[in-house]
Amino acid sequence: MEIRGFHHQGILLLDFINWANSNLFLLAIWFDRIPARTVVWHANGNNPLPRGSKVELTSSNLVLMDPEGLIIWQANPATPVISAAMLDTGNFVLKGNDSSTYIWESFKNPTDTILLTQILDLGSKLFSRLTETNYSKGRFELNFSNGSLELNPIAWPSEFQYDHYYSSYTYNANPYESGYQLVFNESANVYIVKLNGENAQFPDWDRINYTGDNYYRATLGFDGVFTQYSHPKNSTNNQDWLPMQSIPINMCNAIFNDIGSGPCGFNSYCSIQENGTPTCDCPPGYVFQDLNDRLGGCKPTFPQGCGLDDGWGDPEELYEIRQFDNVNWPLNDYERLSPYNQTQCEKSCLYDCSCAVAIFDGRRCWKKRLPLSNGRYMDTGFSKTLFKVRKEVPPRGYCKVGRGTKKPVLLGALLEEEEERAILTDWAYDCYIGGRIYLLVDNDKVAMDDKERLKKWVEVSLWCIQDEPSKRPTMKMVLEMLEGFLDVPLLQSPFPLGSSG
Ligand SMILES: *[C@@H]1O[C@H](CO)[C@@H](O)[C@H](O)[C@H]1NC(C)=O
Ligand SMILES: *[C@@H]1O[C@H](CO)[C@@H](O)[C@H](O)[C@H]1NC(C)=O
Ligand SMILES: *[C@@H]1O[C@H](CO)[C@@H](O)[C@H](O)[C@H]1NC(C)=O
Ligand SMILES: *[C@@H]1O[C@H](CO)[C@@H](O)[C@H](O)[C@H]1NC(C)=O
Ligand SMILES: *[C@@H]1O[C@H](CO)[C@@H](O)[C@H](O)[C@H]1NC(C)=O
Ligand SMILES: *[C@@H]1O[C@H](CO)[C@@H](O)[C@H](O)[C@H]1NC(C)=O
Ligand SMILES: *[C@@H]1O[C@H](CO)[C@@H](O)[C@H](O)[C@H]1NC(C)=O
Ligand SMILES: *[C@@H]1O[C@H](CO)[C@@H](O)[C@H](O)[C@H]1NC(C)=O
């Protein structure tokens, strides 16, 4: 890694930083003298660079290049650069021929964090990162543009902003009484200054009892919460950043837009942890789309529907209701039935191909469909959250996509548990008879490319697991059938009707 001309002063360092033990690097400024190397600014979060990349101070610019010399990022000051400096505050600056002014500053081009003495002018923005460890642009934005500090959810990965979930309401039609700077002052207080010199404190924030023994920062977290932190300079006992105050106070309740997924991704729900931070989880029968991205939403582990729509007669054989209380998705109702009892409510959802969840409060039944949005953990009192999920094992004779988490990859490999064996074998046979072999290999492309061979393998495996041992071929016969020397006899059900189930 080539670094030209930057040396750290104080505790903040500008350098390439290794991204999560990968071979990728960020040009970043971070707190260097604490165990948790905390990035407070970066140039290329969306484009991490491989080893051999470099940053160069030319006569006109500060540029970041990949090993081939392709420019990935540049500072683009308006006038020529004479020198660059890292100030003790953590502000990295470019200077022109007049050394008393800066022609570019990291403080004026922030990413997700502001530091002591940093001032944001109107038009500034902070972008959250995608996850704690992925510095790509994330799902929230702090917009200080029109007199107010606003926090907005983003229609990720585009830049479209949904309605704000927090506003400082410091806009005034009279510009003198409107907010014009967001200040992180020398004694660690964050507030908005109006053009007439008045300060506007965030209503929920206390005055900081500043002490020179701490480092301070304020960061728009990947979870959308703007939090001010402190960290003891003397971190002998492995202390971490301590959250001091946040906006909004309760992220889970803050977003309530009729479009967008809410504080968490679709089909998930938000709850506040003991330390005050929000977290997202999946309801029963659902899993994270991406395990590394908790805000990325959840997906059902089974196909939606009810059985009626695909020719299967009885939804109650295929689906069941699981009760999961104290969560709600307040915006997804499409039907409200009343007066109804719980049995009626559950059945109504089971037999309704659109229904994914029903809320029952003793008398009323609200039905909801996917995708579920604005999910949150809340004390819902007497109401019950009823989830429609696929039964673990499909009924006999049923051949359809998706068997929960167990993916039938190769027949032999999955016939382990005796009880499931019969059902799976039956299922495999039904898939075979129904001309749906592709379901047995989970639509595996390589397998599907050679359908004839796949069909033969399936036939041979079905012969091998015949209920009646005398019908099973010997290993020699299996090899001969697979190699084409022996025809595979016409198949019959491995479990003749009535012999098992
Ligand atoms: C300093 O830079 C400015 C802007 O590029 C230029 O107009 C001016 O002539 C320069 N002054 C000197 C003394 O080089
Ligand atoms: C960060 O997330 C984005 C979007 O999911 C992904 O494309 C990118 O590869 C991730 N970056 C790293 C370094 O993992
Ligand atoms: C600024 O905010 C006010 C109050 O929300 C709004 O009425 C006005 O249209 C906004 N102006 C711009 C330029 O966005
Ligand atoms: C930021 O806020 C201003 C004023 O409310 C608004 O006009 C603008 O669209 C917002 N978003 C962006 C991306 O600037
Ligand atoms: C910072 O702001 C607080 C609150 O407005 C104020 O009491 C304090 O004097 C300010 N500190 C400095 C160094 O300006
Ligand atoms: C500062 O100290 C006062 C008095 O001890 C306390 O009430 C206040 O909450 C403290 N401020 C913060 C931000 O912790
Ligand atoms: C930091 O820790 C050292 C050793 O424990 C101690 O001597 C020093 O006084 C501490 N400094 C502060 C500012 O607490
Ligand atoms: C629910 O209502 C149905 C229809 O009125 C009735 O047949 C059933 O017994 C009720 N179930 C319960 C548990 O009350």
Side-chain angles (χ1 to χ4, degrees):
M1 181 66 47
E2 228 178 306
I3 306 151
R4 296 192 184 174
F6 305 128
H7 299 286
H8 80 276
Q9 309 169 30
I11 48 94
L12 284 140
L13 177 66
L14 173 81
D15 199 347
F16 283 105
I17 188 169
N18 183 235
W19 179 319
N21 299 323
S22 63
N23 275 321
L24 295 171
F25 294 83
L26 286 185
L27 179 66
I29 297 173
W30 71 83
F31 280 96
D32 186 41
R33 295 214 193 135
I34 54 175
R37 293 204 300 180
T38 306
V39 170
V40 297
W41 180 90
H42 57 84
N44 59 318
N46 276 339
N47 280 306
L49 287 170
R51 213 168 274 282
S53 305
K54 58 184 177 181
V55 58
E56 222 175 87
L57 190 61
T58 70
S59 60
S60 62
N61 211 343
L62 175 74
V63 294
L64 182 58
M65 286 174 292
D66 72 7
E68 278 77 51
L70 194 74
I71 294 178
I72 295 301
W73 174 87
Q74 49 195 323
N76 279 335
T79 55
V81 184
I82 303 291
S83 65
M86 183 72 185
L87 308 184
D88 286 349
T89 53
N91 191 10
F92 180 71
V93 298
L94 302 181
K95 295 187 215 177
N97 58 11
D98 168 12
S99 62
S100 64
T101 58
Y102 305 133
I103 55 176
W104 185 90
E105 301 175 52
S106 63
F107 268 22
K108 297 287 177 209
N109 296 272
T111 51
D112 61 359
T113 297
I114 55 173
L115 297 170
L116 221 61
T117 72
Q118 190 163 353
I119 293 173
L120 296 189
D121 299 318
L122 280 183
S124 301
K125 281 183 188 179
L126 301 182
F127 304 94
S128 72
R129 57 182 82 154
L130 188 60
T131 68
E132 191 65 56
T133 53
N134 186 325
Y135 293 83
S136 293
K137 262 188 200 172
R139 299 185 167 88
F140 303 94
E141 213 172 276
L142 182 155
N143 186 7
F144 183 62
S145 299
N146 183 21
S148 288
L149 176 157
E150 290 190 346
L151 301 176
N152 300 79
I154 300 300
W156 188 86
S158 77
E159 300 212 337
F160 180 77
Q161 292 182 320
Y162 294 126
D163 280 350
H164 63 82
Y165 55 92
Y166 179 87
S167 174
S168 63
Y169 294 112
T170 40
Y171 164 83
N172 194 301
N174 175 354
Y176 286 96
E177 290 175 19
S178 201
Y180 98 112
Q181 280 183 331
L182 176 68
V183 173
F184 198 150
N185 85 0
E186 278 163 59
S187 47
N189 285 278
V190 178
Y191 50 86
I192 289 168
V193 177
K194 299 177 182 176
L195 201 50
N196 64 12
E198 271 177 33
N199 291 355
Q201 214 71 38
F202 298 118
D204 298 321
W205 285 24
D206 274 339
R207 186 153 301 182
I208 296 296
N209 305 306
Y210 175 79
T211 139
D213 299 339
N214 287 326
Y215 299 130
Y216 295 93
R217 69 180 166 102
T219 299
L220 178 62
F222 74 97
D223 54 13
V225 184
F226 183 60
T227 303
Q228 185 178 22
Y229 297 88
S230 66
H231 190 294
K233 290 183 178 169
N234 235 2
S235 47
T236 41
N237 45 354
N238 255 339
Q239 263 164 304
D240 202 353
W241 288 95
L242 182 75
M244 302 167 76
Q245 35 199 2
S246 299
I247 45 177
I249 298 276
N250 183 333
M251 184 66 192
C252 290
N253 293 340
I255 302 186
F256 223 120
N257 291 337
D258 57 2
I259 181 164
S261 65
C264 292
F266 288 109
N267 304 328
S268 65
Y269 65 93
C270 183
S271 55
I272 299 289
Q273 294 172 290
E274 246 167 57
N275 65 5
T277 61
T279 187
C280 301
D281 288 290
C282 299
Y286 290 65
V287 292
F288 285 113
Q289 301 259 16
D290 175 356
L291 273 176
N292 298 318
D293 183 9
R294 268 190 111 87
L295 267 65
C298 305
K299 59 181 180 191
T301 54
F302 53 90
Q304 283 301 295
C306 56
L308 291 169
D309 50 350
D310 51 31
W312 184 259
D314 190 353
E316 287 183 67
E317 275 191 44
L318 217 46
Y319 292 89
E320 64 191 352
I321 295 288
R322 248 184 264 167
Q323 191 169 327
F324 185 63
D325 288 342
N326 295 329
V327 287
N328 200 359
W329 288 264
L331 295 183
N332 295 82
D333 305 337
Y334 66 89
E335 190 164 55
R336 171 178 153 176
L337 301 156
S338 171
Y340 245 37
N341 64 29
Q342 185 167 344
T343 316
Q344 287 173 304
C345 185
E346 290 182 2
K347 283 211 170 187
S348 172
C349 188
L350 280 175
Y351 282 83
D352 178 342
C353 298
S354 303
C355 184
V357 187
I359 307 280
F360 179 68
D361 76 347
R363 188 180 155 77
R364 291 169 295 184
C365 175
W366 288 268
K367 289 198 287 183
K368 298 168 185 294
R369 62 164 85 88
L370 300 188
L372 301 162
S373 63
N374 290 283
R376 62 204 58 185
Y377 190 87
M378 57 206 286
D379 187 11
T380 47
F382 294 113
S383 55
K384 297 173 175 172
T385 307
L386 307 167
F387 259 83
K388 179 158 91 180
V389 297
R390 190 69 163 254
K391 285 186 174 170
E392 270 297 301
V393 176
R396 256 193 87 180
Y398 184 80
C399 175
K400 195 84 184 24
V401 234
R403 297 188 13 72
T405 48
K406 293 197 179 68
K407 299 216 163 153
V409 178
L410 267 183
L411 277 180
L414 52 81
L415 303 174
E416 285 151 10
E417 297 145 67
E418 258 313 303
E419 198 171 320
E420 244 192 293
R421 190 192 122 112
I423 295 153
L424 279 172
T425 314
D426 237 19
W427 173 73
Y429 179 71
D430 285 333
C431 288
Y432 168 78
I433 289 296
R436 290 168 154 186
I437 292 184
Y438 54 95
L439 294 173
L440 298 175
V441 290
D442 202 28
N443 278 314
D444 182 273
K445 192 172 172 323
V446 179
M448 292 308 296
D449 279 345
D450 194 346
K451 284 210 189 73
E452 272 314 302
R453 188 198 297 254
L454 173 63
K455 181 161 167 277
K456 185 186 278 180
W457 283 12
V458 171
E459 286 169 351
V460 172
S461 356
L462 285 171
W463 273 114
C464 291
I465 53 174
Q466 287 289 316
D467 209 17
E468 180 64 58
S470 63
K471 286 190 181 153
R472 298 177 197 155
T474 63
M475 212 53 217
K476 185 159 173 283
M477 286 163 77
V478 167
L479 287 174
E480 283 176 350
M481 286 193 265
L482 289 179
E483 281 165 10
F485 298 121
L486 198 65
D487 283 339
V488 185
L490 203 62
L491 259 178
Q492 56 190 80
S493 166
F495 299 109
L497 255 159
S499 77
S500 85

